[in-house]
Amino acid sequence: MDLNKAMIIGRLTRDPELRTIPSGVSVANFSLATNFVYTNDTGVKVEKVEFHNIVMWRRLAEIAAQYLKKGAKVYIEGRLQTQSWDDPAGFKRYKTEIVAENMIMLDRAP
């Protein structure tokens, strides 16, 4: 049995971008920032920030575009997906993203 599951809590770095593909399906893209704080060997606290590309499809994409804004805190559950392509110079490029299957908005309503 295989498992491909990602669960993260973070803040949006930009508003979701909603578009409709030619088949009529909605897709939203945005970036989520998570941070990790640790103490290094010299006793100094260090904060490391990671940025995650999020993709949402169909109704979940429409809800995200309607309610999420830059800075909003959100829980995302989904699966990892890596895309590859050759750039104009002929180099292989990769992009890993989380394809969201579930979302919980964690900020309180205004």
Side-chain angles (χ1 to χ4, degrees), residues 28-95:
N29 297 81
F30 58 91
S31 180
L32 203 66
T34 58
N35 67 335
F36 176 72
V37 179
Y38 65 95
T39 304
N40 66 13
D41 295 339
T42 61
V44 176
K45 282 193 176 186
V46 178
E47 181 176 11
K48 182 167 176 15
V49 179
E50 292 285 335
F51 298 94
H52 312 274
N53 295 314
I54 310 296
V55 178
M56 293 182 166
W57 293 91
R58 298 175 181 78
R59 184 69 182 129
L60 189 59
E62 295 167 4
I63 292 168
Q66 182 177 357
Y67 293 105
L68 295 181
K69 299 292 180 215
K70 179 180 177 178
K73 191 171 192 177
V74 65
Y75 165 83
I76 299 290
E77 185 176 319
R79 61 184 168 83
L80 291 174
Q81 174 178 286
T82 302
Q83 298 180 20
S84 65
W85 69 94
D86 293 324
D87 71 8
F91 293 101
K92 192 73 144 178
R93 300 291 180 186
Y94 298 92
K95 178 171 84 168

